[in-house]
Amino acid sequence: MIPKVVVITGPTATGKTKLAVALAKEFDGEIVSADSMQLYRRMDVGTAKVSPEETEGIAHHMIDIAEPNESYSVSRYVEDAAKCVDDILSRGRLPIIAGGTNLYIDSLISGRDFADNEGDNALRGELDRQYDALGGEKMLEKLQSFDPERAAKLHPADRRRIIRAIEVFKLTGKTITQHDLETQQRPPRYDAAVIALDFADRAKLYERIDRRVDLMVREGLFAEVEQLIKSGLSDECTAMQAIGYKEPAAYLRGEITKDEAIELIKRESRRYAKRQLTWLRRSKDIFWIRWGASPDFQEARRLSTEYLHSHGI
């Protein structure tokens, strides 16, 4: 039998953590974060990281597990988060996966095998050098020689996907097309009951996002970014390219004003929320809770409990 888990997702600033904590209390659960930024240490304000008070004593996993200068991939997340989920299940408790990084969530639930060998940096480096020397057209021709189906879907400028497809073939002897097909045909690793939060009125969501950004600024977002830079963290690392960090960094470099940085964070956060919703709408197996003027967590807890009971949880 496939183990059952709960997923609480939705766009940024919709109250996922609060509902997850409420359901963890109701169902004897523990929370596994699915936020690609909250896993970094010392990045608290800009990620709206859950505070000790907000956890209300409920165990939270996959938070503060990596340094900001680390390259943390989706495949590494799946490996680490699955260990947390399986441990929670082994203790007879309910894993509640909460967050808005939908690629992480989908990959964890499906048990996707990335055929990843992150230790083989030499191979990836060699392919990078080949791309620089030969160009995208030649590298795409190389891919086409053994995986014409994937090559037909890629543009010569899509460096990352071209290199990844060649890398998978060299590491596994299988084309990435074959690898993806085999992955899709496997049963999912977990039986997930997915609850998504949103606002019925998009303007209300955007207002909430803007207020959250203003709160981050008051709580010291710019000081947090300045401290990260002073600690030696490069502007070029993945963590510092995130929304809420790259904009203050640009201000600190003197490229934009502070007000411009704040408005950019709000704009990019709204756009990110829109992308999150677009991703979620592709799935039909989601129980949606859409807030009115403001979240009603008591009603959400009731509706969620009924839904989870119907799902056999």
Side-chain angles (χ1 to χ4, degrees):
M1 183 180 293
I2 301 175
K4 293 182 183 293
V5 301
V6 173
V7 171
I8 309 294
T9 188
T12 187
T14 49
K16 296 182 290 292
T17 295
K18 189 168 183 177
L19 180 59
V21 167
L23 293 178
K25 290 181 174 181
E26 182 82 16
F27 289 89
D28 190 26
E30 297 182 17
I31 295 171
V32 178
S33 172
D35 186 302
S36 62
M37 292 302 298
Q38 291 195 8
L39 54 84
Y40 291 113
R41 303 182 189 100
R42 297 181 288 123
M43 302 183 78
D44 304 331
V45 179
T47 66
K49 191 173 292 176
V50 60
S51 67
E53 295 76 23
E54 288 171 327
T55 67
E56 298 185 36
I58 298 297
H60 281 62
H61 307 270
M62 297 301 293
I63 293 176
D64 287 339
I65 62 167
E67 289 298 324
N69 59 358
E70 291 184 55
S71 177
Y72 200 97
S73 66
V74 60
S75 57
R76 183 175 167 189
Y77 173 82
V78 169
E79 181 180 357
D80 293 344
K83 291 176 183 175
C84 294
V85 171
D86 292 344
D87 176 62
I88 295 167
L89 288 165
S90 73
R91 292 183 279 108
R93 309 196 76 187
L94 178 66
I96 300 176
I97 301 158
T101 306
N102 293 302
L103 176 62
Y104 280 21
I105 293 171
D106 288 359
S107 300
L108 174 61
I109 298 305
S110 69
R112 188 172 301 158
D113 175 11
F114 289 85
D116 206 1
N117 184 351
E118 295 189 23
D120 197 346
N121 291 324
L123 172 59
R124 191 164 295 179
E126 173 59 26
L127 292 173
D128 269 320
R129 287 189 290 273
Q130 286 183 26
Y131 190 99
D132 289 336
L134 301 176
E137 292 281 0
K138 290 294 184 183
M139 291 295 280
L140 197 57
E141 288 177 13
K142 183 190 291 281
L143 175 61
Q144 188 174 23
S145 69
F146 57 83
D147 191 356
E149 186 175 348
R150 180 54 54 94
K153 297 177 181 178
L154 299 179
H155 187 276
D158 198 343
R159 177 192 192 107
R160 182 178 65 84
R161 288 187 174 87
I162 292 172
I163 288 176
R164 181 70 187 129
I166 297 173
E167 180 186 37
V168 166
F169 183 73
K170 288 183 174 292
L171 289 173
T172 68
K174 297 179 181 178
T175 66
I176 199 166
T177 298
Q178 181 183 358
H179 169 261
D180 289 349
L181 181 62
E182 291 174 358
T183 299
Q184 291 166 9
Q185 291 174 340
R186 288 203 307 265
R189 181 168 189 158
Y190 304 111
D191 177 9
V194 182
I195 299 169
L197 304 180
D198 190 17
F199 281 80
D201 181 355
R202 180 68 60 85
K204 295 294 182 184
L205 171 61
Y206 289 170
E207 288 172 11
R208 191 173 173 92
I209 289 171
D210 288 351
R211 288 199 302 270
R212 172 179 275 192
V213 173
D214 288 335
L215 178 61
M216 288 175 175
V217 173
R218 292 196 300 272
E219 291 182 339
L221 173 60
F222 283 77
E224 178 173 272
V225 175
E226 184 174 19
Q227 188 58 44
L228 287 166
I229 294 171
K230 285 181 177 178
S231 72
L233 192 63
S234 168
D235 291 346
E236 302 303 316
C237 73
T238 301
M240 286 295 284
Q241 292 301 308
I243 299 169
Y245 288 88
K246 60 184 176 181
E247 299 86 0
Y251 159 70
L252 292 167
R253 292 193 300 268
E255 297 171 1
I256 56 177
T257 67
K258 188 171 185 179
D259 286 343
E260 287 172 337
I262 293 169
E263 287 307 309
L264 278 173
I265 297 170
K266 291 178 178 179
R267 186 190 73 185
E268 293 307 308
S269 296
R270 294 191 296 265
R271 289 178 175 176
Y272 178 53
K274 187 176 180 180
R275 293 195 299 273
Q276 289 173 300
L277 286 167
T278 299
W279 180 295
L280 290 170
R281 290 193 185 107
R282 299 185 307 182
S283 175
K284 297 178 181 178
D285 299 321
I286 291 180
F287 180 74
W288 285 92
I289 296 177
R290 292 184 170 88
W291 307 121
S294 61
D296 182 347
F297 287 101
Q298 184 173 348
E299 178 67 1
R301 181 172 179 168
R302 184 188 69 79
L303 292 171
S304 299
T305 299
E306 290 180 358
Y307 169 67
L308 296 181
H309 284 322
S310 73
H311 201 80
I313 294 174

